[in-house]
Amino acid sequence: MKLKVLLIMGVIGGLCACSERKGYFSPNEIPRLTSECEVLSKKEIERISNSDTPPDSDIFVRDTLPDGTIKGYCTLFPKAEILRTYDRLAQYPYFIIYKDFDRLTGKLLSKEIEAPGSITIGMSFHFYETGRVKEIKQEEKGYKLNVNQLLKLLSDRGIFIPKTDDNYVHPDTTCIGILGGIYRIKINGSLCYSVFYHLPKDIGSVYGKTLEIDGADGTILGEKDESYNSCE
């Protein structure tokens, strides 16, 4: 009798673990951007200018704010005149808000939201030097299956969805794969996604698998072995 109880408890425990594993990616909301044109403060520009990074290197500075938000500053290329900031908000740990500024004037040039898989989502904004909105882009236009729903689908399939930089270094290798990149593509004229993921044994390499997924209903159209470079 005691053995039977232990076996039942073990099965229940296993089911609970599986239910926790399946669909652990739960965000229903994403950060929202507005058309407000911002200006980088002198203090923030100095944060980069006073960096100890060699002059011919990309500059990268990162701070963790009291509320847990991670805020970073970097130049896009050595000696670049564009300064990029990113915010990984504590309440939206899976997403990053990128903003590009003119390094000399501090004026905002563009801002966008990036989801796991390095794919942009929601609305992106581009600005004239005057601060007026130049372009508003609906990143997911035409897709019935949005990126948040896609990430949930991948999570349910057993693919690990990173939410912090450290997750890429120390991913959950008990999953069947670790998300690498997500790309918007067309297959026979229909909007689809191409999803590259690493197998746990291939972490740190360019090898993995690619899923082709229907952008309308999430149907898996195909899967194949591939290297990361060939997905771009």
Side-chain angles (χ1 to χ4, degrees):
M1 180 68 178
K2 189 174 182 180
L3 178 60
K4 186 176 181 180
V5 171
L6 289 174
L7 287 172
I8 292 173
M9 290 177 66
V11 171
I12 293 174
L15 290 174
C16 289
C18 290
S19 65
E20 288 177 1
R21 168 73 58 205
K22 183 176 181 179
Y24 74 91
F25 178 82
S26 58
N28 294 317
E29 298 182 1
I30 65 172
R32 302 292 177 183
L33 299 179
T34 69
S35 59
E36 178 186 1
C37 186
E38 307 152 43
V39 178
L40 206 61
S41 70
K42 290 183 179 180
K43 183 177 180 180
E44 289 176 300
I45 295 176
E46 289 173 357
R47 184 82 173 87
I48 291 293
S49 301
N50 296 334
S51 170
D52 294 329
T53 307
D56 290 333
S57 303
D58 290 338
I59 299 174
F60 185 84
V61 179
R62 187 171 76 170
D63 297 320
T64 300
L65 305 184
D67 67 353
T69 293
I70 298 174
K71 189 173 186 67
Y73 304 85
C74 67
T75 51
L76 296 186
F77 303 99
K79 299 182 180 179
E81 296 305 325
I82 295 178
L83 182 63
R84 169 166 287 185
T85 70
Y86 79 79
D87 294 285
R88 192 187 295 275
L89 305 178
Q91 64 269 42
Y92 299 107
Y94 284 92
F95 308 101
I96 299 176
I97 298 175
Y98 283 112
K99 299 176 183 178
D100 288 349
F101 296 85
D102 185 297
R103 192 174 179 181
L104 297 178
T105 65
K107 291 182 178 179
L108 182 64
L109 303 175
S110 66
K111 52 183 171 181
E112 64 185 23
I113 304 168
E114 185 177 281
S118 301
I119 187 169
T120 50
I121 60 173
M123 296 173 64
S124 298
F125 295 87
H126 296 264
F127 300 88
Y128 290 106
E129 291 183 359
T130 59
R132 290 193 305 110
V133 175
K134 181 179 182 180
E135 179 186 11
I136 300 176
K137 185 177 180 182
Q138 296 281 358
E139 298 289 350
E140 300 175 89
K141 184 177 180 179
Y143 282 83
K144 293 182 180 179
L145 182 79
N146 63 38
V147 172
N148 237 17
Q149 293 169 325
L150 173 65
L151 292 170
K152 178 67 166 57
L153 182 153
L154 296 174
S155 172
D156 286 350
R157 193 177 173 86
I159 295 175
F160 178 70
I161 312 297
K163 65 178 178 180
T164 65
D165 295 338
D166 186 59
N167 284 150
Y168 283 101
V169 181
H170 305 290
D172 183 350
T173 54
T174 63
C175 292
I176 66 167
I178 295 89
L179 178 64
I182 301 175
Y183 309 91
R184 294 184 176 95
I185 62 172
K186 283 188 177 182
I187 298 178
N188 297 326
S190 298
L191 297 175
C192 299
Y193 294 103
S194 174
V195 178
F196 177 82
Y197 68 93
H198 296 280
L199 299 178
K201 66 181 181 65
D202 292 327
I203 289 296
S205 75
V206 298
Y207 299 104
K209 290 182 176 291
T210 293
L211 288 171
E212 291 179 343
I213 300 175
D214 192 308
D217 59 12
T219 299
I220 306 296
L221 303 175
E223 184 173 17
K224 56 186 176 181
D225 295 330
E226 200 157 15
S227 66
Y228 188 77
N229 290 337
S230 64
C231 297
E232 296 180 344

